Amino acid sequence: MDERFEGIPIHYSTTYRDDPEGVQIRRQMLAEKRETLKTLREMSDDQIREYMTEKWSARYSDDAKRLDKALNRLEGTSGTKLIDAITKELDAQRAENRTLKEQAITAEFDQHIGVLKETWDTILPDLKK
């Protein structure tokens, strides 16, 4: 470490990468996932498909392509594979959920990485000489 920084504490934090609202939303989605899976335990495969079709139709009412993708997970599955498919969809929903602030943070990071890549591409030929 540079001696100019001796005695100066360095704090590492990842809180700037999160939007507390987004974290809370995904925490709530996790609780809803647990509750949904608990509810499904008492149902037959046909009842599960009907229940999840209704839930996902409401969730994706404005996105037919995404609804088709979700419903395709249910096709040709039964028993534990059906539950696994539902779990994957619920996990995907949670992973895809980002607030506007989180989207802006991601865009900013992407921009910074793009600039770093451009810089690296510029200096790399000189480093190879």
Side-chain angles (χ1 to χ4, degrees), residues 16 107-125 127:
Y16 66 93
E108 186 178 344
F109 273 110
D110 290 346
Q111 181 182 8
H112 288 304
I113 289 173
V115 170
L116 288 172
K117 184 181 178 325
E118 286 176 21
T119 302
W120 183 249
D121 290 344
T122 300
I123 65 170
L124 185 60
L127 295 175

Side-chain angles (χ1 to χ4, degrees), residues 13-25:
S13 173
T14 58
T15 56
Y16 66 93
R17 296 182 209 179
D18 288 330
D19 177 11
E21 181 182 335
V23 171
Q24 183 59 35
I25 290 168

Side-chain angles (χ1 to χ4, degrees), residues 40 45-56 67-79 81-87 89:
L40 299 181
D45 287 352
D46 288 337
Q47 289 172 321
I48 289 172
R49 280 189 202 87
E50 185 178 329
Y51 179 78
M52 294 312 299
T53 297
E54 188 177 306
K55 276 186 82 112
W56 290 343
L67 175 61
D68 286 343
K69 183 179 177 181
L71 295 178
N72 282 337
R73 290 185 188 267
L74 303 178
E75 304 243 349
T77 60
S78 61
K81 288 189 180 197
L82 178 60
I83 299 300
D84 289 346
I86 292 167
T87 299
E89 177 60 28

